[in-house]
Amino acid sequence: MMATTRISRRTVLALLAGTGAATLVGCDPVRNTAPAVSLPDALLVELDDALGVLRGPDRLSIPRSVATADGSAIYATAPDGADTAFWRVDTATGHTSDRVRLPGRWLPQAVSANGALVALTSDAANAALGRPDGRDVTPVLVADVTGVRHQLELRGNFVPETFTGDQAGLFVLEWLPAAAPDRYRVRVVDLATKAPGPLTTRDKAAIPPGAEEEMRGDGRQAVLAPDRQTLYTLYTHQPGHQHTRDLVSGRPGNAHAFVHTLNLTERWAYCVDLPHPFGEASASGHAMAISPQGGRLFVSDVTSGTVAEISTEELTVRRTAIVAGGSGTGHAAADSESLFLGAGTVVRRMDLQQLRPAADWSVREPVTGLVLSPDGKRLYVGQTGAVSWHDPATGNELGRVAVPGLVAVRGLAGRG
């Protein structure tokens, strides 16, 4: 059984400790030359109130930042008088771009799929933190390493999510009602006109007034397709929810969980409903991973032990499987042959040909993330205060390094 674990955010940044550390906190790295355990691959991690990069023996800690989807760069900010200093960190080398000054105080929230543009807001609200405070106007700044590209004053309560493929639009979550939000819908802001509008349907038809989906549940996790053209977001706890296709047809809706598919190039959205019991248990027990080629998307609910495979071409659930259930926060990673699931102190490998369990093994501390190495020979397992790496076939631990303040392992770094 998978044991219970609870991940909490701390309010004070705990600087990465240990020998051989290089810590970057809004300034140039300071290095300690004492020996340290070296990771075989660079990892992007989440720390207490910061993003971090573990690269060889070096440790970078970067608060007030956001990473590109491929982990190749981190965009960081720091107060600069009444304004904001803004720069880019190359995660492969630790080198930084020249700092530019942005007028006013800003925090980075979303990066374009190609890693070139960043959307910043004046507060900490972002697409992963849930319901924002009420407000009637949302200032948004769009910038790159040269400075400000667009400045927006959106009438309403908006949170940036990602950019369109051509970088001419910004996808946002619009929270309704603006002053006391309890639901949200996905819209796209034309950066030339600065006006938000609806998406289109999967067949590229305009959505009639009143037929835009409004969601009340939890956005658990987002995964960008390998070709960077589609963003998949897992939503849970949606009782009585009606998709756009239901609102247009007049059919009743009752989806408790679904994968919101957002085409960044063609600007359409489509929801793939997940079967019962997805969405019935805690949102934190759900996890999602995509195959390296992008053709298969896997969703797991560790509470019920249910696993679903979605065809990203057909946008349908192709098959499901039931494995031993458990409790705790779910994590997932996949290669072309195996799906790895983690919760509590248990990691499970599933054979994708049969979609059935192939092996289970235990780790020392509750799992806080799963990441496969580029060559598939190592499975990195984030744990409480440490990262270990294992033989994916047997689960044998190949190495381990302490990472004080670790919240989650997010992915590979330096892969752009």
Side-chain angles (χ1 to χ4, degrees):
M1 297 290 288
M2 295 186 175
T4 301
T5 179
R6 186 181 299 274
I7 296 177
S8 61
R9 292 178 179 269
R10 300 169 181 85
T11 57
V12 179
L13 173 65
L15 297 181
L16 285 172
T19 57
T23 303
L24 178 64
V25 188
C27 58
D28 293 332
V30 177
R31 297 181 183 273
N32 187 317
T33 58
V37 176
S38 182
L39 275 81
D41 302 286
L43 297 180
L44 177 68
V45 300
E46 183 179 347
L47 305 168
D48 297 328
D49 291 345
L51 288 179
V53 179
L54 314 180
R55 189 182 63 248
D58 293 339
R59 311 289 183 264
L60 304 181
S61 176
I62 310 171
R64 300 171 57 97
S65 60
V66 65
T68 59
D70 62 7
S72 64
I74 293 175
Y75 286 93
T77 58
D80 185 2
D83 298 323
T84 298
F86 175 71
W87 69 99
R88 175 184 168 114
V89 180
D90 185 327
T91 60
T93 64
H95 295 159
T96 65
S97 68
D98 292 336
R99 298 189 182 199
V100 297
R101 176 176 288 188
L102 307 178
R105 290 293 182 85
W106 301 95
L107 291 170
Q109 304 294 1
V111 187
S112 61
N114 68 355
L117 285 184
V118 181
L120 304 95
T121 59
S122 57
D123 59 22
N126 65 50
L129 290 181
R131 185 182 307 175
D133 294 333
R135 59 189 174 202
D136 295 324
V137 177
T138 304
V140 177
L141 201 69
V142 176
D144 61 16
V145 292
T146 67
V148 177
R149 295 284 299 276
H150 303 277
Q151 189 157 2
L152 311 174
E153 291 285 333
L154 303 177
R155 303 297 301 180
N157 196 335
F158 295 87
V159 175
E161 184 173 27
T162 188
F163 289 84
T164 59
D166 59 7
Q167 301 181 68
L170 175 66
F171 292 105
V172 294
L173 305 183
E174 181 184 13
W175 283 84
L176 303 167
D182 62 8
R183 62 192 187 278
Y184 52 95
R185 60 184 178 181
V186 180
R187 312 202 90 200
V188 60
V189 178
D190 185 301
L191 293 177
T193 66
K194 303 181 180 181
L199 310 181
T200 64
T201 63
R202 187 181 177 187
D203 58 5
K204 303 177 186 178
I207 297 177
E212 290 182 79
E213 294 181 33
E214 296 182 358
M215 293 166 277
R216 299 176 185 269
D218 300 313
R220 163 62 181 148
Q221 182 185 1
V223 172
L224 185 66
D227 64 5
R228 305 183 185 185
Q229 294 187 27
T230 308
L231 182 70
Y232 303 98
T233 305
L234 172 61
Y235 285 94
T236 65
H237 292 169
Q238 300 282 341
H241 176 77
Q242 289 182 288
H243 301 308
T244 293
R245 58 182 180 268
D246 301 322
L247 293 166
V248 171
S249 67
R251 294 189 302 265
N254 191 28
H256 285 255
F258 56 84
V259 175
H260 185 272
T261 304
L262 181 62
N263 187 292
L264 307 184
T265 302
E266 299 177 354
R267 304 191 184 191
W268 55 258
Y270 184 83
C271 293
V272 182
D273 286 342
L274 294 167
H276 178 83
F278 283 102
E280 297 285 351
S282 170
S284 65
H286 293 68
M288 186 166 59
I290 196 166
S291 63
Q293 297 77 26
R296 296 184 291 178
L297 185 69
F298 301 96
V299 185
S300 171
D301 169 25
V302 300
T303 304
S304 66
T306 310
V307 179
E309 177 186 319
I310 295 172
S311 165
T312 59
E313 180 178 357
E314 301 168 358
L315 292 182
T316 58
V317 175
R318 178 178 293 167
R319 54 180 176 165
T320 60
I322 303 296
V323 299
S327 60
T329 300
H331 302 277
D335 60 19
S336 58
E337 298 179 352
S338 301
L339 172 66
F340 298 90
L341 304 174
T345 57
V346 175
V347 177
R348 172 173 294 133
R349 178 171 67 87
M350 296 190 66
D351 173 69
L352 291 184
Q353 184 174 359
Q354 301 295 327
L355 197 62
R356 65 183 182 187
D360 287 5
W361 66 84
S362 297
V363 293
R364 304 184 202 179
E365 301 287 344
V367 176
T368 61
L370 300 175
V371 174
L372 280 160
S373 64
D375 60 9
K377 295 182 179 179
R378 292 168 297 281
L379 177 69
Y380 290 95
V381 181
Q383 299 174 59
T384 304
V387 174
S388 58
W389 51 102
H390 302 253
D391 183 320
T394 65
N396 291 338
E397 185 176 298
L398 305 176
R400 183 181 181 89
V401 61
V403 186
L406 180 70
V407 174
V409 175
R410 296 264 299 265
L412 296 169
R415 294 289 296 168

